[in-house]
Amino acid sequence: MRALAYEGRRLLGLRSSWLILAVTLLAGSVLAAVLARRAAPDSLTAPEAARLATAAVPVLPIPLAALAAGLLGALAVAHEVRCPGLPASQVRYTARLRLLLAKLAVIGAVSALLALVALLLDSLTVRLVLSRTGPPVRLLTLESLHTDHRLVPLLATFVALVVAAGCSGVLAAALTRSAIAGVLLLCALPTLIGQLALPTALDLLHHEGVSWAPTHLARAVAVVLVPVAALLAGCLLAQTRRRSF
Amino acid sequence: MIQVNGLTKVYRRGRRPALLDLGFDVGPGTVTALLGPQEAGKTTVLRLMVELERGKGVTLFNGRPYRLLRHPEREVGVLLPTAHRRTGSLGRTARGHLWMLAAQLGVPARRADELLEQTRLASVAEHRLRAFSPGMNRRLALAVALLGNPDALLLDAPTEGLSPRNADWLHAFIRAFPAGGGSVVVSTRSPQEAALLADRVVTLDEGRLVADQPVAEFRRTRLRPEVVVRGPQMARLADLLLTQGAQVRQDGSARLAVSGFGRTEIGELAYRNSILLHELADRVVEQPAPRATLPAAARPGAAPAVQVRRLTPLAAGARSRSTALNASTAFNAPTAFNAPTALNAPTAFNAPTALNAPTALNAPTALGEPTGSTALGASSGSASPHPLPEPGAPGDLTGLPQPATPPEPVTRPEPPAPTGPSASHGDPIPAPTPAPTPQPLTGPDHWNG
């Protein structure tokens, strides 16, 4: 509980975290506006609408909000490395573990909030832009969610992705002890997961004829969860040999 | 109560250990100074004590090692420089920083505000740490260390790089802290500071314990008072002093450092032989620290550690005995104990001025600094407690208060030539100096006497 209070005060007392959040939201809505101008207003399919609302650019390996969440997480740990408030208090393993979990919880909550606000803001922007050029478009309203069942899991996956990116940022920075290395590792994670381990393992399972062979949703969950779990295990192991973050 | 047993640290296998089998006790209500030159292993000791580094040896705080303390921050306050030499994140305010850490310790925010008052940071509490000077940073770090209201304090070089004002404040704080039964371990490079602060001085050299002395013994063996004399006829005075049995060495171009004689006696001697003096001031110099001898086996590159351990205590013991002998011979003169007694006075925080010279009365200068520069400043400032002598009455110097002079009364009147007991009055006033100073006095010519 104390660690949670500390982490909350630490995160909210810094100007940089507010700055990162504001810049992310602003850049996300600008991106959404640009994308919406290029999109044809009358033929909005569900994936396209989701892409517009989450401001996903093919250049970035992960969505913008996820990147910001990862950056926040990486900075949260790098702060403990660079200027620890009470370095001698971090000597005990349990204290460090408590602090790490508190950071995961706080960053996860902030990331989820960030994802929701970004979704709202982006869809609002898209609606404004599209309604100016053509007929009013219903995007992310209750009716559209009811009519198209694929939209809800997509958006839920987006939120989960942002939260996972925040947690991965924390863990990657805790593993590498540096914010920059943590963010780089975070950006490389999707590629690593996609290229190396996950598809081969899943395909192997599938070919072996395992009955609980992954469906599409399970695959998505696995893509989000497996890197976080792997990083967490790595962190816990690495922390046993350390005396500070 | 802190018990340190056998702290040993070897950074690389086969190298000389950075710290070898160090042990000492810190009783409740006392201050212990870790004294040693740079690279002597002082910071390593403190880091090992709170187990920030891996090493051999056990440190017990009230009978428990640091990692097993239930609330370590409430029992031990630590001020250790981190690798990045910052107190906190630069964009945060001082109050925000303390509140954040108070939340981590479960201490009410009121305690943080109290500490801001106590460390004189209340007026700048809303400023960001980016704007903080080293002194303010150090005080903030001290406030952080005190957040949990600890019994013991570990301070690593707390006054290093601070202004004299801040250093004085810290000295006063450290002296006052044990009054509540707490114990303090403070590391320092300056013997004068160690003598000022500590009840017990542990001297380290190259990671080895070379002396563990109570402060009285430390002052007797490691600090030596001497008198600095300056004037145009120093060679003659040096001859005279040598025939009287004093130890004289040249200190700069026109100065002598005399040990074995008090200021009064030197002044009298100069007066009787009508030697002109421009400066006559006490100062304290440190004896060279006993060096840890490295046995041949422990030189870099070799080393079974067992052999080192057997040899070092013997060597250290022999060294400290020999220095003790030296010191006792040097202290035969009757006034030799001036400076130590001044140090013992209850107003120990003002002792730097008393130690330094009677001239530097309003300047809280660093200990043992040569008086020349500060004395000039003191004389020009109007706050000097000495009434400046009238230029027309150069002989009237007897009324000058001399805080650190020996108690023996001066029976004869002071000489007409200004044997000013202080450079502050002798030097910058050209009028009272009579005939025998025809030219500026900086040069080897005046050694001809």
Side-chain angles (χ1 to χ4, degrees):
Chain A
M1 207 53 217
R2 282 176 195 165
L4 272 179
Y6 161 78
E7 179 58 21
R9 282 195 181 174
R10 193 202 63 75
L11 191 69
L12 301 184
L14 278 179
R15 269 189 303 190
S16 63
S17 39
W18 292 106
L19 202 68
I20 289 173
L21 290 177
V23 165
T24 309
L25 291 178
L26 200 70
S29 55
V30 167
L31 266 181
V34 170
L35 286 177
R37 251 171 216 284
R38 293 170 55 184
D42 42 351
S43 63
L44 268 184
T45 59
E48 256 184 44
R51 215 182 58 221
L52 282 184
T54 56
V57 197
V59 179
L60 292 174
I62 48 178
L64 198 63
L67 200 62
L71 186 61
L72 274 184
L75 285 178
V77 172
H79 180 272
E80 295 304 322
V81 175
R82 272 208 322 272
C83 35
L86 296 160
S89 303
Q90 309 300 329
V91 165
R92 288 170 304 161
Y93 182 66
T94 49
R96 265 174 290 141
L97 204 60
R98 223 174 284 145
L99 192 56
L100 191 66
L101 291 180
K103 277 184 191 302
L104 285 178
V106 171
I107 293 287
V110 170
S111 307
L113 265 180
L114 174 69
L116 289 178
V117 174
L119 265 184
L120 275 179
L121 209 62
D122 292 354
S123 56
L124 209 65
T125 315
V126 170
R127 193 186 291 185
L128 277 179
V129 169
L130 289 185
S131 64
R132 193 185 297 165
T133 56
V137 183
R138 297 276 162 159
L139 187 71
L140 291 188
T141 51
L142 280 180
E143 302 95 81
S144 73
L145 290 185
H146 276 300
T147 49
D148 198 339
H149 288 288
R150 292 166 58 200
L151 209 52
V152 176
L154 266 176
L155 297 183
T157 312
F158 172 69
V159 174
L161 184 69
V162 173
V163 171
C167 294
S168 310
V170 171
L171 295 170
L175 203 62
T176 57
R177 305 197 59 176
S178 138
I180 296 174
V183 171
L184 287 181
L185 183 56
L186 176 70
C187 290
L189 261 184
T191 323
L192 282 178
I193 299 292
Q195 292 292 322
L196 299 176
L198 205 60
T200 50
L202 290 181
D203 286 346
L204 206 66
L205 281 179
H206 197 63
H207 285 304
E208 293 288 321
V210 180
S211 57
W212 45 275
T215 60
H216 186 70
L217 183 66
R219 197 181 182 109
V221 168
V223 163
V224 169
L225 273 188
V226 164
V228 173
L231 277 176
L232 186 61
C235 271
L236 296 187
L237 270 181
Q239 290 291 341
T240 55
R241 294 294 300 166
R242 289 187 191 159
R243 291 293 167 97
S244 62
F245 258 106
Chain B
M1 180 73 186
I2 307 173
Q3 294 161 296
V4 179
N5 298 310
L7 289 186
T8 302
K9 175 77 184 174
V10 183
Y11 279 106
R12 285 181 64 183
R13 196 180 296 266
R15 286 285 179 88
R16 188 172 59 76
L19 204 60
L20 187 60
D21 207 8
L22 182 79
F24 57 91
D25 286 354
V26 182
T30 62
V31 180
T32 296
L34 288 175
L35 173 67
Q38 206 162 13
E39 306 286 319
K42 308 184 293 292
T43 305
T44 311
V45 174
L46 294 177
R47 287 178 68 85
L48 279 176
M49 281 171 78
V50 294
E51 303 181 49
L52 269 169
E53 277 180 42
R54 254 162 242 281
K56 306 269 191 305
V58 180
T59 305
L60 301 177
F61 297 92
N62 292 328
R64 288 177 143 214
Y66 187 80
R67 260 143 67 103
L68 299 185
L69 291 177
R70 191 169 298 276
H71 298 291
E73 301 87 9
R74 298 192 186 171
E75 301 193 32
V76 186
V78 183
L79 193 160
L80 275 173
T82 53
H84 294 267
R85 302 218 160 257
R86 282 198 220 146
T87 314
S89 159
L90 295 181
R92 206 180 287 282
T93 63
R95 194 186 302 279
H97 184 70
L98 275 187
W99 278 4
M100 175 185 88
L101 294 176
Q104 189 177 18
L105 301 187
V107 174
R110 197 181 56 248
R111 170 81 182 146
D113 292 339
E114 274 173 26
L115 280 171
L116 282 173
E117 292 281 344
Q118 203 180 332
T119 52
R120 301 188 310 175
L121 286 173
S123 54
V124 292
E126 300 302 333
H127 288 248
R128 300 192 184 276
L129 299 189
R130 185 174 287 118
F132 270 37
S133 72
M136 289 150 85
N137 260 322
R138 201 68 57 86
R139 276 180 280 153
L140 182 64
L142 188 67
V144 169
L146 292 173
L147 257 184
N149 208 358
D151 296 331
L153 271 184
L154 308 182
L155 310 172
D156 187 24
T159 56
E160 192 148 304
L162 292 194
S163 66
R165 200 178 108 123
N166 275 319
D168 280 352
W169 181 84
L170 254 172
H171 287 163
F173 175 83
I174 293 170
R175 286 301 313 172
F177 184 80
S183 39
V184 183
V185 179
V186 54
S187 79
T188 175
R189 268 194 265 172
S190 134
Q192 283 90 1
E193 190 181 33
L196 190 65
L197 289 178
D199 302 310
R200 192 166 188 88
V201 181
V202 175
T203 311
L204 293 179
D205 185 47
E206 303 199 330
R208 286 158 183 76
L209 180 78
V210 288
D212 181 1
Q213 305 159 307
V215 72
E217 191 187 332
F218 174 76
R219 283 197 193 116
R220 216 170 52 239
T221 56
R222 291 283 305 284
L223 296 182
R224 181 170 51 122
E226 66 178 23
V227 181
V228 180
V229 193
R230 193 164 63 85
Q233 302 163 314
M234 284 300 100
R236 230 180 100 208
L237 183 65
D239 286 342
L240 279 171
L241 285 168
L242 282 173
T243 54
Q244 301 271 335
Q247 294 167 354
V248 179
R249 64 185 172 81
Q250 189 175 343
D251 179 30
S253 59
R255 282 208 298 197
L256 290 181
V258 185
S259 55
F261 265 32
R263 240 184 15 224
T264 331
E265 291 164 312
I266 297 173
E268 263 185 54
L269 191 71
Y271 168 71
R272 267 194 242 117
N273 295 282
S274 57
I275 296 174
L276 176 66
L277 297 185
H278 289 159
E279 180 184 352
L280 186 60
D282 277 331
R283 75 173 178 194
V284 175
V285 292
E286 50 179 296
Q287 298 272 71
R291 304 285 296 183
T293 45
L294 290 184
R299 298 226 183 271
V306 182
Q307 202 174 357
V308 179
R309 186 174 302 184
R310 226 180 321 118
L311 286 175
T312 322
L314 291 177
R319 282 299 171 121
S320 58
R321 222 172 296 133
S322 68
T323 49
L325 278 177
N326 276 344
S328 65
T329 53
F331 275 76
N332 279 334
T335 59
F337 283 97
N338 270 343
T341 49
L343 262 176
N344 274 330
T347 58
F349 313 124
N350 299 330
T353 53
L355 259 181
N356 205 350
T359 61
L361 272 173
N362 62 347
T365 53
L367 283 169
E369 189 181 307
T371 53
S373 58
T374 57
L376 278 176
S379 71
S380 60
S382 58
S384 169
H386 289 311
L388 285 178
E390 291 293 308
D396 190 16
L397 289 175
T398 41
L400 286 180
Q402 295 184 351
T405 39
E408 350 170 335
V410 183
T411 48
R412 63 181 73 241
E414 286 287 313
T419 67
S422 60
S424 63
H425 308 302
D427 204 24
I429 302 169
T433 52
T437 57
Q439 41 186 321
L441 303 172
T442 53
D445 293 347
H446 305 289
W447 280 89
N448 302 335

